[in-house]
Amino acid sequence: MFIKNTALIVPTRNRPKYLRNLLIQIKKLNFNQIIIVDSSDIINKLYVKKICKKYSVELFDSLPSTSHQRNIGLNKAKKTNKFIMF
């Protein structure tokens, strides 16, 4: 199936509430790999870490730039997946 060979990369910044709701829905789809690339401030970063740990999602820190965040996720995901979604 398409989703089983696909990595999903989600760049985010200061949105832990929305990230939690997103992960609840995404986990139902059974992606091969879900990568969150976060550039939040210190307070929100703690919440994002807890959320990612709870939903067993890979988390990487980044500078606040969407294109930089996508590149980080792409470098982590392209080694093990056939398809990549942002």
Side-chain angles (χ1 to χ4, degrees):
M1 183 171 212
F2 173 73
I3 289 181
K4 297 243 183 225
N5 297 323
T6 304
L8 179 67
I9 300 167
V10 181
T12 185
R13 178 171 170 82
N14 295 331
R15 301 214 187 315
K17 177 184 170 186
Y18 299 109
L19 180 64
R20 183 183 159 281
N21 293 335
L22 176 71
L23 288 177
I24 289 170
Q25 297 301 317
I26 289 174
K27 290 300 274 186
K28 295 176 185 177
L29 297 175
N30 295 321
F31 280 97
N32 186 35
Q33 185 178 22
I34 300 171
I35 299 173
I36 306 297
V37 185
D38 182 49
S39 64
S40 296
D41 57 23
I42 294 171
I43 295 169
N44 286 316
K45 194 173 292 281
L46 296 173
Y47 292 118
V48 170
K49 283 183 183 180
K50 287 180 185 178
I51 292 167
C52 289
K53 185 176 181 180
K54 179 179 179 181
Y55 292 100
S56 302
V57 174
E58 293 180 61
L59 173 67
F60 297 97
D61 291 327
S62 170
L63 299 172
S65 166
T66 306
S67 57
H68 183 68
Q69 290 173 298
R70 289 179 182 162
N71 288 335
I72 289 172
L74 186 62
N75 287 334
K76 305 296 181 184
K78 69 181 178 183
K79 298 174 185 169
T80 58
N81 297 288
K82 226 177 199 183
F83 304 103
I84 297 173
M85 293 177 63
F86 295 97

